[in-house]
Amino acid sequence: MRGVKGLTGYAVAILVAFSLAAGGVAPAAADESANGGAEFAGVRISSLPAKLTQPTKGRDRQARFRVNVSGSPTADGGRYWVKPSDVRIELVDYINPSKLSAKWRRADLRNGVSGIPQPWRPSEDLEAGVNSFKILYDSSARPGKYELRVKVRHQVDGTTTVKETRATFTVQANPSASRKWSNSHSWITCADCYFSGPRRAVLVAPEWQLGAKVTAYCKAQGKKWRKAATAKVKKGATYKAMARIKLPSRCKVGDKVYLKVAKVKYAPKYQTKAMRIR
């Protein structure tokens, strides 16, 4: 599942191609000089989209934002710039994190497989005024809330001053992608393999659907769809997100069934394709 495997190769490509990648969490930097850089009045982020939608396919997407530097022009011999580690995107809230173990979450972030969007700018040098940046992301971008942090450095007469600005945005799951990934891992099975035994619908969903209510609907040939049973997407032993739904006896072998998955934080509702009970 690409949402679980994340952006390891994708992030490496960005590092090689653009030489500006997001890092881990870092404390806000203090001024490197108590009295220098008086011309550097401040920095702020503007034009950052409040919400990005996870693409259906793996093709890269771009979101533009601006870094506004308030200060004197660099013609005075000064310089404004950002280091590669000065532009960071941190995942601050996602997929009901309380439902995942702290150990799994730490490992997921540490190993760089989190699907975190990456910032990009072709040059480290900035100018006083408006500077353009981009956020690159694809279909493996993890739904959640992110914080963008930008530190700008100003140097004049051998004195360096650092100022930081922050802004937040969210990535919303794409229902089409959720449906696609769920369908490839959804099936109907007979628990004890007897014709008369209980039937169960099993949904393996993208991890951001944890906590979602799942409703099964079934129908016999020539009949109307009827609500059959409900369950919740939970963390499983093998898969990170799974729902097991015990179907009533009126849902028989040969009948059709489909599942409605309710919306949760950062993920809209969707439903699977109809399948036959076997």
Side-chain angles (χ1 to χ4, degrees):
M1 188 183 298
R2 195 173 180 194
V4 175
K5 294 180 179 177
L7 284 179
T8 303
Y10 175 63
V12 170
I14 294 173
L15 285 169
V16 173
F18 304 110
S19 298
L20 184 59
V25 180
D31 282 358
E32 294 182 20
S33 170
N35 55 9
E39 302 87 347
F40 186 13
V43 58
R44 67 182 178 88
I45 295 169
S46 66
S47 303
L48 176 68
K51 181 178 71 174
L52 304 178
T53 300
Q54 177 192 59
T56 305
K57 297 182 180 180
R59 189 177 61 187
D60 295 353
R61 299 292 194 277
Q62 299 181 358
R64 299 177 184 274
F65 68 95
R66 296 173 177 176
V67 174
N68 300 275
V69 177
S70 300
S72 61
T74 55
D76 63 0
R79 180 196 180 203
Y80 296 101
W81 83 99
V82 291
K83 293 180 179 180
S85 59
D86 286 340
V87 186
R88 304 171 182 271
I89 295 179
E90 179 191 353
L91 183 60
V92 294
D93 184 38
Y94 73 106
I95 59 164
N96 301 311
S98 62
K99 298 180 182 297
L100 292 176
S101 71
K103 180 179 179 181
W104 179 87
R105 188 177 186 220
R106 286 195 302 270
D108 187 36
L109 298 175
R110 183 178 63 251
N111 293 335
V113 295
S114 306
I116 295 178
Q118 303 293 310
W120 173 69
R121 179 174 168 79
S123 171
E124 294 184 359
D125 291 319
L126 304 179
E127 297 291 339
V130 177
N131 299 270
S132 297
F133 284 73
K134 295 178 182 179
I135 294 175
L136 306 180
Y137 62 103
D138 67 7
S139 60
S140 61
R142 185 189 296 277
K145 181 179 180 180
Y146 293 83
E147 183 176 71
L148 170 64
R149 302 179 180 182
V150 180
K151 287 192 291 187
V152 174
R153 301 169 187 270
H154 178 238
Q155 186 177 55
V156 63
D157 297 330
T159 302
T160 300
T161 304
V162 181
K163 295 183 184 293
E164 183 182 70
T165 181
R166 302 184 183 190
T168 60
F169 66 94
T170 63
V171 173
Q172 294 287 319
N174 186 320
S176 296
S178 296
R179 183 184 305 111
K180 176 183 177 181
W181 292 335
S182 292
N183 283 349
S184 63
H185 296 286
S186 300
W187 65 93
I188 306 303
T189 183
C190 170
D192 56 10
C193 299
Y194 287 100
F195 183 85
S196 61
R199 275 82 193 172
R200 287 180 172 83
V202 180
L203 171 74
V204 177
E207 60 196 13
W208 50 79
Q209 297 295 156
L210 280 167
K213 179 182 178 182
V214 182
T215 304
Y217 292 81
C218 68
K219 79 178 189 74
Q221 186 173 0
K223 302 292 183 180
K224 293 183 177 180
W225 287 103
R226 294 176 61 188
K227 181 178 176 180
T230 61
K232 278 197 172 184
V233 178
K234 300 180 180 179
K235 184 176 182 297
T238 304
Y239 299 97
K240 291 190 176 73
M242 176 181 286
R244 300 176 184 272
I245 307 173
K246 183 178 180 180
L247 300 175
S249 58
R250 60 181 174 81
C251 297
K252 303 183 182 299
V253 169
D255 291 352
K256 288 187 175 181
V257 62
Y258 75 89
L259 308 175
K260 279 188 176 181
V261 184
K263 69 176 182 180
V264 291
K265 198 174 186 180
Y266 310 122
K269 64 182 179 181
Y270 68 98
Q271 68 184 48
T272 67
K273 294 180 180 180
M275 298 164 286
R276 288 196 180 277
I277 301 174
R278 62 174 189 270

